[in-house]
Amino acid sequence: MYSSAFAQTAETATHTTRKPHVRTTKSAKAVKATPVTAAPAAAAPAVVAPVVAPASRNASVLSAAAAAPEAPSQAESIMVTGSLFRDPNTTSASPITHITAKDLQQRGIKTVTDALQLLSSNGAGNLTNAWSAGGGFAAGASAPSLRGLSTDSTLVLMDGQRLSYYPLADDGERNFVDTNWMPQSIMQSVDVMQDGGSATYGADAVAGVVNMITRKEIQGFEGNAEGGLTQRGDAGHQRLYATYGHGDLARDGYNFYVNSEYQQDDPLYYRQLGYPYKSGDLTGIGGTNGNDNIQSGSSIANFTPSTVAIARPVDGSGTATGPWQLLNQSAGCNSLGGIVATGTVSGTPGVSQACTMNSQKFAQVAPDLRRVSATAHFTANVTERSQLVAMFTWSQARSIITGTPYGTYGGSSYTQADLATAQNTYEPVYLANGSLNPNNPYAAQGEEAQIASRFSDLLPTTTETSQNFRGSVRYSGWAPSNWGSDWNYDVNFVGMNTLLNQTITGVPTINGIENAISSGSYNFVDPSQNSQAVLNSIAPRNVMNARTQEYSGEMSASKGLFRLPGGMAKLAIGGNIRYEALNDPNANPLNPDDPGAQYTSYINPVNARGSRWVESGFFEVNLPFVKMLNVDVSGRYDNYSEGFSHFSPKVGVQFKPVDKFTLRGTFSNGFRVPSFAETGGSNIGYTPYTPTNAAFINQHLNADGTKDNYAQNYYLGVNTSGNPDLKPETSVNFSGGPIFRPTKWLTLSADYYYIRKNHYIAPNPVQYDVVAEDYLSGAALPAGVTVTPSPADPLHPNAQPSPGIINLGYVNTNKLVTDGFDLSIEINTQLPGFLHEVHWYSKGNATFVDKMNLTNPDGSVYRYAGTLGPYLAVSASGTPKWRANWSNTFSWKKLSVTPTVYYTSGYKTTAEDYTGSGTANNCADAQLSSSFVPTGQCKVKGWWDVDLTVNYQISPRWGVYANVYNLLGFRAPYDFGTYGGYLYNSSWSQNGVVMRSFQFGVNVKL
């Protein structure tokens, strides 16, 4: 969709307008002016015509806004991503994807988040809003993962300045910048540098850099109103923005504008979709019925609590003496839309009853997401030679995520600690006042009752509200010099705080469950009668406040030194000092004096805290030896108060023997310092586990010889703690390839990339089920790994306890290596013949991942390319080998039509980080996220999507548009291995479950 062949020679046409203080530098005088070929007025093209680049510049076609002013005749001080030279003549040897505001409008892309997620170079480990709905660690946030190297290796900037991290770490480990909060309507462009950027920007730029460039000048009023929904009439969408600016920089010497945005995306639930996504019954696609409490012959399968309570009698020793029966026979199961299932239940005497329930009834496809922002921006020409830019933004991103109500008994989503507490707490015969307990149908017989029920009036709800406060100021200009060229200088400061409020309701504590049952205070017969005070006692409101800070001051200066045959040799130097801090307290702390006050395992105890100062010095030298050969050398030294330091060099070369051909390449070193969570935090995640050790199982059998609940499937805790002895990750990056421009309207480019991360930081790469089985058998555990046992089995207190929590830490593994190719095509021309009035603008992008291999400390290698691996990272999104997109805009008079095609290749459902090295091609090791899905799948099919945008400019002031997403109604291919979505992969094929959706809007400029 976006071209990676990007020459920055005409950015001034879209980034700034006129500046009276700008002059032609000595270096610029030697460069021939860039001619611009104007498109016929009748064609009303969506973008400016191609730039014909002179011999000393990178050959590329640029896209810019249709209404962009003519390129100034004099050089301007502009922002060039990946360079210290603020000069329109600067070109880059790095592959840079340049996305303009017009590009986004033509493709129907409304947010920075969507734009970055759709990049072909966005790979494994990306963080999507759909994954947030599934309960990700960093719920409420989104971030790209360039080259599949995870969110922490993609540096996200605004106007070349750093931003504060999202307070919750990705997977409880990785720091990243959330893209949800960013205002879209004031973005001039988004530059994505797809090779290492540490030599210019420091840490976190191993895989690339995303730089969002804001508009410097806006005059008058601009507004937008938009609404949308799916073909089913759900997933409503509303978007509004308004901007007002005053002052002309050229005439008045200043410009000031204010902007506000609002966007609301309504939640979408699986129950609103078509089959099979809306149901746990997968018999229609070759699986089994995974709904809760189904009739299976003469027994009840998938036995679990539903929102209609059932009970069974137990004697004084805790032994069940009767079957499960509906607690309220008159109510039946109508509230669930299900039926009464009857049959035997493992370990329970007699014929039982239970309510069937769709296991997907409460699950979310996408969260309730609201974005609000307000921005004030001021630009002033302080003198003829200097300019001041100041900006302040407040924004809020709020996500509301809901889940299935939690219950009193069993189910695989309980840890053993929860099972021991909840399953063996019984409804008493008498209440505290001496009366018979109405929640105990066996009270009259003098027997206690075991209750199995979900708390139907407690809907688990997580509200993530992040508020972002960002202020920046930049003073830049030039000073005359008697030798070489003039001095250019830039001084800037940015401060940003992100405050996150996480409010969780509807999640019971261990004490809450126990007290609700043992005291008889909770009305299981008719939950509608429960008071709010009773509900609060079971599931108190959980509030966590976290904060991140970023303060950065930077100075740089550049000038031309002397003239070489190819142009002026230039030098830039600078320094930066910044402060970073994170405080993410534990949302589920354990009180040793009252362990029962802790929430159940549903609120993961994650915490991280830390702060650091970073001092940096950097330089860049540009050497145009001859007109056909340009070399750029840069480097940066960073020193961290934590004791880390690193020097990052980079060399870029551009060789242009003829006008139609350019060969470019870069070589660099980069680094990533350990995150605060990796050095000083901890988190507990849970993974499904079923014990298989025969000796252990034999100690936990029911009287009929079946496994009791203690020995059945449950969630195994994995506690990963920070390691203060970690080394920084270092990287070796190479990119290179040709740019071919056979005609003035066609540009082709191809780039090979190679990245090797050394000392790659990851949780100790052990297989959790193997560690658990080794623990049960008494075998030696891996170095640095321990196991905390579960509480004893109440039915067999002297038997061997199960593994409860595996304790491990972060380690520096050996290395991670990835390589592949980027391909792009760009066309900008009039159609021939009778269609000569139609302007055609086309962009195509494709990325091929050749390999992504992780080498472990023991020498074993995990091969991820073309598989579901890395399975344990983020959402098991996998590493498809191909991602591509191609958009074509056809403009005729006031009308433009843009179809965009997206493609993601298929992949195997194996994952070597889960099943071990060498299993990538073994279908027997294919991952299944559930025991109810079809068992024969070894590969997920490729995914196609086609979006369509139609823009019509009614008048110079008014325009209307319509967007259709998934125009052809393609369905997402089934993925039975990923846990990022139910039966599909939320990273690549979200539109395939949402299906066709529509948006309509109007733009106004006054």
Side-chain angles (χ1 to χ4, degrees):
M1 183 174 69
Y2 308 122
S3 171
S4 61
F6 166 49
Q8 293 152 327
T9 55
E11 280 189 25
T12 51
T14 59
H15 184 61
T16 56
T17 53
R18 301 172 298 279
K19 289 192 272 187
H21 67 280
V22 174
R23 82 292 177 223
T24 303
T25 64
K26 295 179 181 179
S27 61
K29 290 177 181 177
V31 181
K32 185 169 65 176
T34 304
V36 177
T37 304
V47 294
V48 296
V51 174
V52 182
S56 62
R57 298 182 187 174
N58 184 14
S60 178
V61 178
L62 303 180
S63 62
E70 294 182 0
S73 60
Q74 295 179 312
E76 295 194 17
S77 174
I78 65 168
M79 178 165 297
V80 181
T81 298
S83 175
L84 299 177
F85 299 116
R86 298 176 64 82
D87 186 334
N89 300 312
T90 299
T91 62
S92 176
S94 298
I96 298 180
T97 297
H98 181 62
I99 311 168
T100 68
K102 194 66 175 180
D103 289 331
L104 299 175
Q105 180 184 344
Q106 295 287 26
R107 291 158 179 78
I109 299 172
K110 307 305 169 60
T111 66
V112 172
T113 292
D114 292 340
L116 298 179
Q117 293 295 342
L118 294 172
L119 288 168
S120 65
S121 56
N122 181 44
N126 63 327
L127 186 60
T128 67
N129 287 317
W131 169 231
S132 288
F137 276 94
S142 181
S145 172
L146 295 180
R147 304 301 185 205
L149 294 181
S150 297
T151 55
D152 58 4
S153 293
T154 299
L155 180 62
V156 179
L157 309 170
M158 183 176 288
D159 292 330
Q161 298 172 315
R162 283 183 171 256
L163 305 166
S164 56
Y165 295 125
Y166 190 67
L168 299 181
D170 179 10
D171 268 350
E173 173 188 1
R174 294 175 288 272
N175 294 143
F176 68 96
V177 172
D178 176 30
T179 58
N180 275 338
W181 69 269
M182 299 169 181
Q184 177 67 43
S185 57
I186 62 170
M187 294 298 167
Q188 182 66 46
S189 62
V190 179
D191 289 352
V192 183
M193 187 170 74
Q194 298 177 144
D195 71 348
S198 292
T200 303
Y201 301 110
D204 304 342
V206 170
V209 178
V210 175
N211 186 20
M212 289 155 294
I213 302 172
T214 59
R215 299 168 68 180
K216 185 171 288 186
E217 181 177 13
I218 299 175
Q219 298 179 23
F221 175 81
E222 298 178 5
N224 170 269
E226 174 183 285
L229 72 172
T230 72
Q231 65 186 40
R232 296 180 305 273
D234 51 28
H237 163 86
Q238 305 89 42
R239 182 171 185 254
L240 299 168
Y241 72 76
T243 307
Y244 178 76
H246 179 73
D248 187 303
L249 277 173
R251 183 184 65 247
D252 306 319
Y254 74 92
N255 178 263
F256 175 75
Y257 68 78
V258 291
N259 166 270
S260 184
E261 282 190 24
Y262 169 85
Q263 180 168 326
Q264 169 67 44
D265 294 295
D266 295 339
L268 181 65
Y269 294 87
Y270 282 98
R271 62 177 180 263
Q272 297 172 273
L273 305 181
Y275 182 81
Y277 307 104
K278 68 178 182 180
S279 175
D281 183 355
L282 303 182
T283 53
I285 59 171
T288 58
N289 192 340
N291 284 332
D292 297 336
N293 306 317
I294 61 170
Q295 195 94 33
S296 180
S298 60
S299 65
I300 299 175
N302 309 338
F303 181 76
T304 189
S306 66
T307 54
V308 175
I310 55 177
R312 65 176 178 177
V314 294
D315 60 22
S317 65
T319 301
T321 61
W324 294 100
Q325 301 294 325
L326 288 176
L327 189 59
N328 187 346
Q329 294 286 341
S330 62
C333 298
N334 294 333
S335 62
L336 296 173
I339 60 173
V340 178
T342 60
T344 60
V345 176
S346 177
T348 300
V351 177
S352 297
Q353 295 178 334
C355 287
T356 61
M357 186 177 78
N358 181 0
S359 62
Q360 289 301 109
K361 178 180 176 65
F362 298 97
Q364 272 188 332
V365 179
D368 182 328
L369 180 57
R370 185 187 68 194
R371 305 178 179 94
V372 183
S373 69
T375 299
H377 191 284
F378 177 73
T379 306
N381 298 328
V382 180
T383 70
E384 291 184 352
R385 299 175 179 175
S386 64
Q387 189 174 81
L388 176 71
V389 179
M391 176 180 174
F392 177 80
T393 297
W394 168 85
S395 73
Q396 182 187 89
R398 186 217 62 189
S399 295
I400 300 178
I401 302 161
T402 59
T404 301
Y406 303 129
T408 63
Y409 181 93
S412 61
S413 55
Y414 281 79
T415 64
Q416 294 290 37
D418 299 330
L419 286 169
T421 299
Q423 290 187 0
N424 300 286
T425 300
Y426 307 125
E427 285 283 352
V429 174
Y430 297 100
L431 297 180
N433 60 10
S435 63
L436 287 175
N437 186 354
N439 288 304
N440 181 356
Y442 312 105
Q445 289 106 17
E447 291 185 298
E448 294 182 324
Q450 188 173 37
I451 294 289
S453 176
R454 296 186 183 273
F455 295 100
S456 59
D457 41 7
L458 289 173
L459 183 67
T461 303
T462 300
T463 302
E464 307 278 3
T465 304
S466 68
Q467 294 195 80
N468 301 271
F469 303 85
R470 179 184 181 272
S472 67
V473 60
R474 166 172 270 124
Y475 186 67
S476 59
W478 64 277
S481 175
N482 294 325
W483 59 276
S485 68
D486 298 328
W487 283 99
N488 290 272
Y489 60 87
D490 180 271
V491 181
N492 66 81
F493 174 81
V494 62
M496 182 173 176
N497 276 227
T498 296
L499 308 179
L500 177 69
N501 174 274
Q502 182 185 70
T503 300
I504 302 175
T505 58
V507 178
T509 63
I510 297 172
N511 278 350
I513 295 173
E514 187 176 14
N515 292 337
I517 299 171
S518 61
S519 68
S521 61
Y522 184 86
N523 190 332
F524 287 100
V525 177
D526 184 3
S528 66
Q529 300 301 311
N530 289 309
S531 68
Q532 190 61 48
V534 169
L535 299 180
N536 292 343
S537 69
I538 299 170
R541 187 183 185 88
N542 179 292
V543 178
M544 184 275 292
N545 291 293
R547 179 186 185 187
T548 58
Q549 303 172 74
E550 180 79 31
Y551 300 99
S552 175
E554 184 170 294
M555 299 177 61
S556 63
S558 65
K559 78 181 310 296
L561 300 178
F562 52 85
R563 190 168 300 280
L564 293 172
M568 182 68 71
K570 295 181 291 185
L571 169 69
I573 58 174
N576 173 273
I577 182 169
R578 71 177 190 269
Y579 173 78
E580 301 175 341
L582 164 69
N583 180 22
D584 176 20
N586 194 326
N588 191 14
L590 176 63
N591 181 356
D593 297 327
D594 186 10
Q598 188 178 28
Y599 289 79
T600 62
S601 60
Y602 308 112
I603 299 179
N604 289 325
V606 179
N607 69 89
R609 178 177 296 179
S611 63
R612 58 194 173 208
W613 286 94
V614 187
E615 298 92 19
S616 308
F618 41 85
F619 74 91
E620 183 175 359
V621 178
N622 184 261
L623 301 169
F625 290 111
V626 293
K627 288 187 177 181
M628 67 175 60
L629 179 64
N630 185 287
V631 177
D632 192 272
V633 180
S634 58
R636 179 180 177 117
Y637 179 80
D638 293 273
N639 181 63
Y640 283 72
S641 59
E642 297 162 298
F644 308 123
S645 61
H646 193 268
F647 176 70
S648 304
K650 183 173 184 178
V651 178
V653 178
Q654 298 177 78
F655 177 64
K656 188 175 183 181
V658 295
D659 286 345
K660 298 181 184 298
F661 181 80
T662 300
L663 188 64
R664 64 182 176 185
T666 65
F667 177 86
S668 65
N669 292 143
F671 76 110
R672 184 186 75 84
V673 297
S675 69
F676 293 124
E678 289 168 335
T679 57
S682 68
N683 72 80
I684 296 182
Y686 295 89
T687 185
Y689 168 65
T690 302
T692 60
N693 183 278
F696 170 80
I697 293 173
N698 288 334
Q699 297 177 55
H700 301 274
L701 298 177
N702 294 308
D704 60 1
T706 59
K707 294 190 297 184
D708 70 10
N709 287 312
Y710 191 89
Q712 295 187 26
N713 183 46
Y714 68 96
Y715 272 59
L716 179 68
V718 180
N719 177 38
T720 309
S721 300
N723 178 1
D725 297 325
L726 288 174
K727 300 176 182 178
E729 296 177 348
T730 60
S731 69
V732 175
N733 295 58
F734 171 78
S735 70
I739 304 171
F740 182 51
R741 192 165 186 240
T743 69
K744 66 180 181 181
W745 51 267
L746 172 64
T747 300
L748 304 169
S749 72
D751 288 282
Y752 169 77
Y753 70 88
Y754 171 91
I755 304 173
R756 186 183 74 225
K757 266 190 175 187
N758 300 313
H759 312 305
Y760 181 69
I761 299 172
N764 197 329
V766 298
Q767 295 182 43
Y768 306 137
D769 56 341
V770 173
V771 171
E773 291 298 312
D774 286 345
Y775 165 78
L776 292 176
S777 65
L781 301 181
V785 177
T786 63
V787 173
T788 302
S790 300
D793 183 353
L795 300 180
H796 303 90
N798 296 321
Q800 182 183 14
S802 68
I805 297 175
I806 296 177
N807 304 290
L808 47 86
Y810 296 102
V811 297
N812 288 106
T813 62
N814 195 327
K815 62 183 177 181
L816 177 69
V817 176
T818 184
D819 73 337
F821 296 90
D822 290 324
L823 307 173
S824 72
I825 182 173
E826 193 161 357
I827 300 170
N828 196 339
T829 187
Q830 307 295 126
L831 293 181
F834 70 95
L835 296 175
H836 68 279
E837 291 188 346
V838 177
H839 187 90
W840 177 29
Y841 183 71
S842 176
K843 277 187 176 182
N845 234 20
T847 296
F848 172 75
V849 180
D850 178 53
K851 64 175 174 287
M852 179 174 283
N853 297 343
L854 173 65
T855 302
N856 294 308
D858 62 1
S860 62
V861 178
Y862 295 159
R863 294 170 174 83
Y864 296 143
T867 76
L868 197 59
Y871 185 79
L872 299 176
V874 188
S875 61
S877 56
T879 308
K881 287 211 164 190
W882 280 101
R883 291 200 76 201
N885 46 70
W886 185 27
S887 67
N888 291 271
T889 298
F890 301 94
S891 302
W892 178 71
K893 296 184 178 180
K894 298 180 178 181
L895 176 69
S896 69
V897 179
T898 305
T900 304
V901 180
Y902 300 95
Y903 172 71
T904 300
S905 65
Y907 47 89
K908 299 182 183 70
T909 54
T910 56
E912 293 196 346
D913 61 326
Y914 197 77
T915 55
S917 178
T919 60
N921 295 314
N922 188 357
C923 286
D925 290 307
Q927 296 303 299
L928 298 175
S929 61
S930 167
S931 60
F932 307 110
V933 300
T935 58
Q937 188 200 55
C938 188
K939 184 176 180 180
V940 177
K941 296 179 180 179
W943 158 246
W944 292 88
D945 183 21
V946 179
D947 295 347
L948 179 68
T949 297
V950 178
N951 287 276
Y952 185 77
Q953 197 67 33
I954 300 173
S955 69
R957 294 184 174 182
W958 293 90
V960 294
Y961 60 89
N963 306 309
V964 185
Y965 304 100
N966 195 0
L967 174 69
L968 302 181
F970 291 136
R971 300 189 66 172
Y974 294 135
D975 184 337
F976 301 133
T978 183
Y979 54 83
Y982 178 61
L983 309 181
Y984 82 103
N985 196 316
S986 62
S987 287
W988 319 126
S989 54
Q990 182 74 4
N991 282 355
V993 296
V994 176
M995 299 301 289
R996 195 177 289 109
S997 59
F998 309 88
Q999 292 179 4
F1000 306 91
V1002 57
N1003 291 316
V1004 59
K1005 293 184 178 182
L1006 303 176

